[in-house]
Amino acid sequence: MNPKIGRDPYLRAVHARWGAAAVHEAGFFEDTDPEDAPLDDVHWLCTPTAVVRDALPAGRGAASGPPVVLLSTGGFFPVHDGHLAMMRAARERAAAAGWWVVGGYLSPAHDEYIARKCGAVPIGVSQRLARAEAAVQADGCADDPARDWLSIDPWEALARRVAVNFTDVTARLQAYLRAQIRPDIEVAFVAGGDNARFALAFAPHGRCIVVDRPGSEATVARWRTDDRIPTDGRILWAPGAADLASSALRPVEWSTTAPQLLVRLEDTRAVRTLGLPAATWAQFQQDLLTELAHHLPVSGRALEPGDPAAAPRTGRRTLSLDPLVRGDADLAISRVFDLGGYRPLGHAARPGHPPLATQFAALAPGPWRLLDDDRATGSTEAFVRAHLPAEVIVDEVVFAVDARRGRDVDIADSRDFLLGSDDGGLVLALPDGDLGRAPYLLPFVDPSVRCGLPGTDALVFSAAVWARNAAVFAPTGLAVADLPAPARRTVLAAGAALTDLLTDVCQGYAQTLNALQGAMPTTSR
């Protein structure tokens, strides 16, 4: 037996019952990686979990059986209304069959598949993933917005060297969700009617929903009546969804111009918990600028003590949102994101600080000057204004850096790229529902969507900066237990132990990401 079939729980069962020919009939292809995709890499925390986790407490209602997550793979280049309609049709059919559906995923394909199907790829994988997430959140079905139950899984696109089988993605997602969320979750694969043969892959083991589409009626009828397809309720057939091909939508503008990145360089307050020497921290920041310069235009700016944004004006109380600049009062607020960094989940108190309602209530009435380190979307400023007590009045806003002053400018803080920096990195909703922090590096955060890195360069950049993290920690002897609590929670959720040395943890990520860099080119170097 082909070892790539032998380690696949779905295709192995097909082979055992009907032989190798049936495996190929069901859609198997021999991928080009001499090593197998690890289907049990349940600690590679790239797949978002918030939607599934949040749906479970509501219970199954009238449904029966285990919680079920729907999954569909494909180019999704781009995600369009037909894809979303297909997933809705699958969910409606599953509900009618009594399944307890707690979420769904679209898994955009690897660049190798896109290049084979579409020719030259005009944008990088990270941009494709970000566009897919935007399409899901912008779904126009008013009574059933996709953002309430659909997520984008980047594992297939960013955590494999080559294109892999749809059963690989299914098996890995189920193992991941069982390890991270709940041990009885089942993943049901969703196929369009033109791929109705995929149902055979799940005939002996697993779940599948085939959604008809115009033009595939004969194919669906052929497979629906195949005597190998069970009628025990694990394979479902759903009425047709909208017929809209991705190829009809591809001729759109895809921006490939890298923005100017402004990096705020910081003093040792950013690494006080780690206790790094000033020279070590300064060298890391310079090395970071050097690495970033391989990928996009970049400049560094130090926030000086005399900076007008840093010093409150005489006679005016300042409310600071900047963790490194103290005001008359400080508001510890952060945007929270799902794993990967593609989907914002709202605002919350920074990990380790009182709830926002408590912080808002403690503010004295009267006029205030609002201070933040930067403005990109303006969402945090708007959130604060909307939630302040009526008697607390913001009549001036000052930003150390304002991205809206110029076009094509992104902003990042140097602490956002070092594991365990104080108030550094992205605040993430971890699979257990707690909040953690992670640097702007894969697998936790896609740097291309956080700091404007070219969409092709997330792997090579993340590997290089993890290696620079490892070099910082090599002489320190610091272990996971020495990290600030938010970063510690993140790496523990990713399978590390408290006694693991930080240099080894970081080097492990660098080595894995280097190994994932396949034949697809980057725009840098």
Side-chain angles (χ1 to χ4, degrees):
M1 183 190 301
N2 185 316
K4 291 180 183 290
I5 297 172
R7 61 87 167 102
D8 185 309
Y10 304 107
L11 298 180
R12 182 175 65 245
V14 172
H15 188 283
R17 185 168 298 185
W18 298 298
V23 171
H24 289 273
E25 193 179 5
F28 171 76
F29 70 93
E30 183 81 34
D31 69 53
T32 60
D33 194 337
E35 298 180 7
D36 286 334
L39 306 184
D40 59 350
D41 61 341
V42 298
H43 290 116
W44 192 253
L45 292 188
C46 64
T47 303
T49 57
V51 167
V52 174
R53 183 190 64 246
D54 293 347
L56 287 167
R60 58 171 50 88
S64 61
V68 176
V69 169
L70 307 185
L71 164 71
S72 187
T73 64
F76 298 125
F77 182 45
V79 173
H80 57 63
D81 289 345
H83 296 135
L84 300 174
M86 179 183 72
M87 294 302 286
R88 283 196 297 271
R91 187 174 73 157
E92 290 168 4
R93 180 66 184 91
W99 292 11
W100 179 23
V101 177
V102 295
Y105 288 88
L106 299 180
S107 177
H110 192 275
D111 270 354
E112 182 187 63
Y113 173 87
I114 298 294
R116 190 166 62 234
K117 182 178 180 181
C118 309
V121 182
I123 63 169
V125 57
S126 295
Q127 288 171 288
R128 288 198 291 113
L129 292 167
R131 289 291 186 94
E133 176 61 45
V136 164
Q137 293 195 52
D139 180 26
C141 182
D143 60 346
D144 181 21
R147 61 180 173 270
D148 287 346
W149 76 284
L150 276 180
S151 300
I152 301 299
D153 184 1
W155 179 82
E156 176 184 4
L158 269 178
R160 304 305 334 128
R161 291 191 289 192
V162 299
V164 296
N165 282 276
F166 64 95
T167 50
D168 287 349
V169 185
T170 307
R172 183 266 170 186
L173 180 61
Q174 181 166 286
Y176 177 88
L177 294 176
R178 286 182 170 184
Q180 296 291 346
I181 303 293
R182 180 166 159 156
D184 62 342
I185 287 177
E186 295 188 11
V187 172
F189 189 80
V190 177
D194 52 333
N195 287 316
R197 65 184 180 131
F198 288 1
L200 182 59
F202 304 96
H205 171 70
R207 296 176 185 246
C208 181
I209 305 175
V210 177
V211 181
D212 201 358
R213 60 181 294 183
S216 65
E217 293 87 355
T219 302
V220 170
R222 177 258 185 269
W223 283 101
R224 191 167 185 173
T225 57
D226 190 295
D227 59 11
R228 293 169 296 181
I229 303 298
T231 58
D232 60 1
R234 292 184 299 104
I235 308 296
L236 302 179
W237 305 87
D243 184 31
L244 184 61
S246 297
S247 58
L249 301 177
R250 276 184 209 119
V252 296
E253 286 192 25
W254 302 91
S255 174
T256 57
T257 303
Q260 170 77 29
L261 179 64
L262 181 59
V263 178
R264 188 172 75 159
L265 305 178
E266 297 156 321
D267 59 31
T268 53
R269 287 173 294 174
V271 291
R272 58 188 180 276
T273 299
L274 295 171
L276 295 181
T280 300
W281 175 228
Q283 184 62 55
F284 174 84
Q285 293 181 93
Q286 290 306 310
D287 290 345
L288 173 66
L289 291 178
T290 299
E291 187 59 45
L292 284 165
H294 291 310
H295 304 272
L296 76 173
V298 63
S299 61
R301 172 186 172 183
L303 182 63
E304 301 293 341
D307 191 305
R313 295 180 182 177
T314 304
R316 180 68 62 84
R317 291 177 300 183
T318 296
L319 175 61
S320 177
L321 278 60
D322 185 340
L324 293 186
V325 179
R326 301 301 300 270
D328 297 289
D330 301 310
L331 186 62
I333 182 173
S334 290
R335 296 178 75 195
V336 179
F337 288 79
D338 215 340
L339 288 165
Y342 305 100
R343 173 176 291 192
L345 300 176
H347 292 79
R350 288 190 208 121
H353 292 269
L356 288 178
T358 302
Q359 297 186 54
F360 284 134
L363 296 175
W368 287 82
R369 175 178 183 250
L370 185 68
L371 167 66
D372 202 356
D373 52 354
D374 62 61
R375 168 194 277 158
T377 66
S379 66
T380 300
E381 175 195 346
F383 179 89
V384 170
R385 286 182 177 275
H387 289 82
L388 285 172
E391 63 273 14
V392 176
I393 302 168
V394 172
D395 59 5
E396 182 183 8
V397 181
V398 177
F399 295 88
V401 182
D402 189 344
R404 297 198 300 198
R405 293 175 186 167
R407 299 183 62 188
D408 299 324
V409 176
D410 267 334
I411 304 163
D413 295 326
S414 57
R415 69 182 187 275
D416 290 333
F417 299 89
L418 182 72
L419 177 65
S421 63
D422 290 287
D423 293 313
L426 202 63
V427 177
L428 295 171
L430 298 176
D432 65 358
D434 209 343
L435 296 184
R437 279 189 182 271
Y440 289 3
L441 303 172
L442 297 174
F444 307 106
V445 177
D446 188 334
S448 294
V449 299
R450 301 312 319 153
C451 65
L453 206 71
T456 53
D457 294 6
L459 284 170
V460 65
F461 173 78
S462 295
V465 179
W466 276 121
R468 294 187 185 275
N469 272 254
V472 164
F473 293 125
T476 68
L478 291 171
V480 171
D482 299 310
L483 289 170
R488 184 170 65 246
R489 284 194 292 269
T490 301
V491 295
L492 289 175
L498 287 171
T499 55
D500 288 347
L501 294 178
L502 294 184
T503 188
D504 294 338
V505 170
C506 297
Q507 192 59 44
Y509 284 116
Q511 291 171 350
T512 299
L513 290 163
N514 276 322
L516 287 175
Q517 293 169 37
M520 305 309 294
T522 66
T523 61
S524 61
R525 299 183 188 276

